[in-house]
Amino acid sequence: MIRCLAIDDEPLALQQIAAYIGKVPFLELAAQCQSALEAHQFLQNDTVDVIFCDINMPDLNGMDFIKALVAPPLVVFTTAYAEYAVEGFKVNAVDYLLKPFGLQDFMRAANRVRERLEGTTASAPAPSAPVASDSDADTIFLKTDYRIVKVAISDIRYVEAMSEYLKVWIEGDTKPIITLLSMKKMEERLPQNFMRIHRSYIINLTKIQEVNKNRVIMDRDTYLPIGDMYKETFQNYLDTKFLGK
């Protein structure tokens, strides 16, 4: 059984989490607290495997409470504010439950907690490795806000660096997926039909419409610069595809 601590300053929200925990066969409610200070007192004398914790609470908010723990257990944040999701990445939250959420959303988070615990328990028998299908190799999963979304690699037009985050622009979407990830990690995962043309851009070579001087034109509104240190590699690619004198 996975021992759970539920924290929320709203009695009805706390009651809902406790009820959902009771509906999941592999979860056990160890305690429920209406403040981070009350939860801190409980953890001085007991341990849990996961904390379901609201963020926006008086006195000590949930994010600061988790950061203050010396050896925090797994955590699933519950919040009515999606903007907290980016900060939650920094404390390695297992999942986000954006209020109001239902049992299906809660089950998704509970299953991720179980998967994380099974993956880090040395005594647990090692599961047989799944056989990756061709469709698995053609997709990636990206964490954005409080969700994890599946993306077909062939649909990625280009990737844009933005400080510690990436904007992943998808065919047919007007807004990018924003995820906490490095360009190096993304570059390593993408196949050979992707190329880095600038320190801030990786492009899908199959989506190029035109190359004009030092710019790659992806569509009539998207002009991406070619960085000096990437010019030679990109030109070599063009030479292999070029027909004519």
Side-chain angles (χ1 to χ4, degrees), residues 23 33 35-36 63 71 78 87 89 132 149 185 188 208 214 226:
K23 292 178 183 293
C33 303
S35 72
M63 193 74 67
T78 63
E87 189 177 354
F89 291 145
V149 296
K185 285 287 186 182
E188 290 172 351
I208 296 175
N214 292 325
I226 304 171

Side-chain angles (χ1 to χ4, degrees), residues 97-186:
L97 291 171
L98 189 66
K99 297 178 180 179
F101 54 86
L103 180 58
Q104 184 177 358
D105 294 324
F106 186 86
M107 281 295 303
R108 178 202 67 204
N111 284 324
R112 287 177 183 166
V113 168
R114 180 169 62 174
E115 290 168 3
R116 182 78 69 87
L117 288 172
E118 288 176 349
T120 56
T121 303
S123 59
S128 57
V131 178
S133 66
D134 290 340
S135 59
D136 290 335
D138 294 338
T139 59
I140 56 175
F141 287 87
L142 298 175
K143 191 167 187 179
T144 178
D145 292 333
Y146 58 94
R147 303 172 296 133
I148 295 179
V149 296
K150 184 178 181 180
V151 176
I153 291 176
S154 60
D155 288 340
I156 298 175
R157 296 174 60 239
Y158 65 97
V159 179
E160 179 182 358
M162 183 183 67
S163 185
E164 297 177 344
Y165 302 89
L166 298 182
K167 290 182 179 179
V168 182
W169 294 88
I170 306 298
E171 191 76 40
D173 291 350
T174 57
K175 293 183 179 181
I177 296 171
I178 299 177
T179 185
L180 180 62
L181 195 67
S182 69
M183 286 287 273
K184 184 175 184 296
K185 285 287 186 182
M186 179 62 81

